[in-house]
């Protein structure tokens, strides 16, 4: 092997790569917010007394968890225009990421809700609170705390999954890297660099999750 | 239905039957609790004591019979359930404080969400009841930072903040270390002195002697005996009650 490393194109492209990182973080954070909302709402609907609602949630979760994300993102990209919604690649990617992350979040958060002692719920009812308030004020926070490591692990996964959005040319790091690679043919240098960048972003994410945890989930338990 | 809620019994259960699936947990239970009356409910494990008091605030549904609380017929309608739960406070064996809320927040949640009390007022009420259970200085702590006895007193204060007309206690001292039983019983005795209507599932016979107007003995889902505490402890009539008391005394 007689390969000489040349990081010139990477250095020239660094501002673009950093913008790509920002794009990735936008996709990741927006996707997470949507996933969290879908996760919480999905758990509530999953326990609904209305059977069709429960089934819809189960079907959604199974569908997402048993199909590849690349196919899901293509599906959203080509299905939305059929119902008259035209979106640019980046919003499309955010929706797909949110749906995908949401399905996993439903399963994870559901586990957290089930881990809450039923005495907590009964105490809420005995005090006269309605079901909705019992969920919102009594169950939700301890449930999220219980599954926080799995949930944030899933969200780091989501951050890395954003790279698949390059398939529809959403604005994020891998798309930017592909452009630089196409012009320079410096595949190893380019992908080596974004490997490091993805790693740093994951690390940053974990730190941020740690801060959130200290703020919201640091109440003492026995 | 009691014609005048202000003078009729506070709780009236008539011919109440409850099944868990095939299991007949309450068998034709009839019980009236007058305003200000203190009832101690005892009986062997599995006799249906918890089930009975949990029916009063509709934590369990019944299949037959009638329950009227403060003039409100407790059917399965949300309106009746809401109305009854506003008047009935409950204290559980396992405290069931909310771990992510401070003591004060535990006490203000229901008044704010259920009664629509403003935060400042809810906190003032909470502090008053926390003082009353002699735990005012712990208001900013989290439940896990308190001893079992302190937690149970907070749970009592939390229920009192809704200013209920009756308090239900389901073995409030059984989960406590022996040295903490007294502080909780003393709190309950104070409550009784102040005129609260109380239904207590407990095997604390000293408490029953001191506080109860009536002791009710249950076995196998039915009420087998009711008597004033002295009479019940001195000369229980039903053979099951005699066996039960023998076992309790052997343990104490
Ligand atoms: N959710 C339930 N499903 C099925 N059976 C139940 C349920 N809850 C209680 N039971 C049964 O009903 C019977 C009465 O239970 P309950 O808890 O009321 O008894 P208890 O007198 O309070 O007993 P303990 O002194 O052990 O607390 C028991 O045999 C119990 O196994
Ligand atoms: Mg019990």
């Amino acid at each position: 092997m007689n390969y000489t490393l040349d990081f010139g194109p990477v250095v020239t492209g660094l501002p673009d790569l950093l913008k790509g990182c920002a794009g990735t973080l936008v996709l990741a954070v927006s996707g997470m917010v949507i996933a969290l909302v879908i996760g919480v709402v999905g758990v509530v609907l999953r326990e609904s007394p209305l059977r069709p609602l429960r089934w819809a949630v189960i079907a959604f979760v199974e569908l997402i968890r048993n199909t590849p994300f690349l196919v899901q993102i293509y599906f959203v990209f080509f299905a939305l225009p059929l119902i008259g919604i035209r979106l640019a690649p980046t919003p499309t990617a955010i929706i797909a990421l949110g749906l995908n992350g949401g399905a996993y979040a439903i399963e994870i958060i559901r586990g957290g809700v089930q881990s809450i002692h039923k005495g907590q719920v009964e105490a809420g009812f005995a005090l006269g609170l309605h079901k909705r308030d019992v969920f919102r004020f009594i169950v939700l926070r301890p449930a999220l705390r219980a599954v926080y490591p799995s949930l944030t692990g899933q969200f780091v996964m989501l951050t890395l999954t954003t790279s698949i959005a390059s398939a529809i040319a959403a604005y994020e790091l891998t798309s930017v890297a592909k452009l630089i690679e196409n012009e320079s043919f410096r595949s190893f240098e380019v992908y080596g660099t974004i490997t490091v960048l993805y790693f740093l972003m994951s690390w940053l994410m974990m730190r941020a999750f740690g801060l959130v945890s200290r703020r919201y989930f640091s109440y003492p338990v026995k | 239905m009691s014609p005048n809620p202000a003078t009729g019994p506070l709780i009236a259960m008539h011919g109440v039957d409850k099944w868990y699936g095939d299991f007949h947990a309450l068998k034709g239970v009839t019980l009236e609790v007058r305003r200000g009356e203190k009832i101690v409910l005892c009986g062997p494990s599995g006799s249906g004591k918890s089930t009975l008091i949990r029916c009063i605030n509709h934590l369990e549904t019944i299949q037959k019979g009638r329950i009227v609380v403060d003039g409100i017929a407790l059917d399965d309608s949300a309106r009746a359930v809401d109305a009854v739960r506003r008047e009935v406070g409950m204290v559980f064996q396992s405290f069931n404080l909310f771990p992510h809320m401070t003591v004060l927040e535990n006490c203000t949640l229901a008044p704010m969400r259920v009664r629509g009390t403003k935060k400042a007022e809810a906190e003032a009420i909470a502090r008053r009841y926390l003082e009353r259970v002699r735990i005012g200085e712990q208001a900013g702590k989290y439940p896990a930072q308190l001893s079992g006895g302190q937690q149970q007193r907070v749970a009592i204060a939390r229920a009192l903040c809704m200013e209920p007309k009756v308090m239900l206690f389901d073995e409030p001292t059984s989960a406590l270390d022996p040295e903490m039983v007294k502080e909780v019983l003393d709190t309950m005795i104070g409550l009784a002195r102040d005129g609260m209507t109380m239904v207590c599932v407990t095997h604390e016979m000293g408490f029953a002697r001191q506080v109860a107007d009536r002791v009710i003995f249950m076995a196998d889902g039915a009420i087998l005996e009711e008597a004033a505490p002295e009479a019940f402890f001195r000369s229980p009539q039903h053979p099951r009650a005699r066996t039960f008391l023998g076992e309790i005394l052997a343990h104490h």
Side-chain angles (χ1 to χ4, degrees), chain B residues 11-170:
Chain B
I11 300 171
M13 304 176 81
H14 285 288
V16 169
D17 280 83
K18 158 88 193 162
W19 281 267
Y20 292 109
D22 291 338
F23 182 77
H24 202 173
L26 292 181
K27 300 171 184 165
V29 167
T30 293
L31 168 68
E32 291 200 345
V33 181
R34 295 187 311 274
R35 283 157 208 281
E37 197 177 17
K38 291 102 183 83
I39 304 268
V40 161
L41 197 56
C42 63
S45 179
S47 56
K49 309 178 294 292
S50 300
T51 304
L52 189 158
I53 65 167
R54 290 161 57 86
C55 288
I56 297 172
N57 62 351
H58 205 264
L59 287 182
E60 303 288 353
T61 53
I62 61 172
Q63 281 74 47
K64 246 173 82 185
R66 198 154 54 88
I67 301 179
V68 180
V69 179
D70 197 28
I72 307 151
L74 186 56
D75 48 35
D76 294 336
S77 74
R79 233 181 89 244
V81 172
D82 284 352
V84 164
R85 284 180 181 165
R86 278 167 184 247
E87 309 303 343
V88 180
M90 188 172 219
V91 174
F92 301 85
Q93 180 174 349
S94 50
F95 327 140
N96 296 343
L97 294 179
F98 309 132
H100 55 301
M101 298 180 197
T102 62
V103 164
L104 193 66
E105 288 164 347
N106 263 277
C107 292
T108 55
L109 176 68
M112 287 167 66
R113 298 299 304 178
V114 179
R115 292 210 189 276
T117 311
K118 293 276 170 291
K119 188 172 181 202
E121 194 194 338
E123 287 184 350
I125 295 170
R127 286 187 193 283
R128 195 165 78 229
Y129 284 113
L130 287 168
E131 285 305 330
R132 181 156 157 196
V133 302
R134 299 189 327 283
I135 205 154
E137 70 287 357
Q138 315 280 8
K141 286 197 180 166
Y142 286 90
Q145 295 168 319
L146 304 179
S147 73
Q150 290 173 321
Q151 290 191 53
Q152 194 61 299
R153 285 186 283 140
V154 171
I156 294 172
R158 179 175 72 177
L160 291 176
C161 285
M162 286 297 286
E163 318 210 291
K165 291 193 173 134
V166 54
M167 288 279 283
L168 309 175
F169 292 85
D170 193 355

Side-chain angles (χ1 to χ4, degrees), chain A residues 77-92:
Chain A
F77 195 52
F78 296 112
L80 284 182
L82 294 182
I83 55 166
I85 302 172
R86 281 184 195 286
L87 288 178
T90 297
T92 304

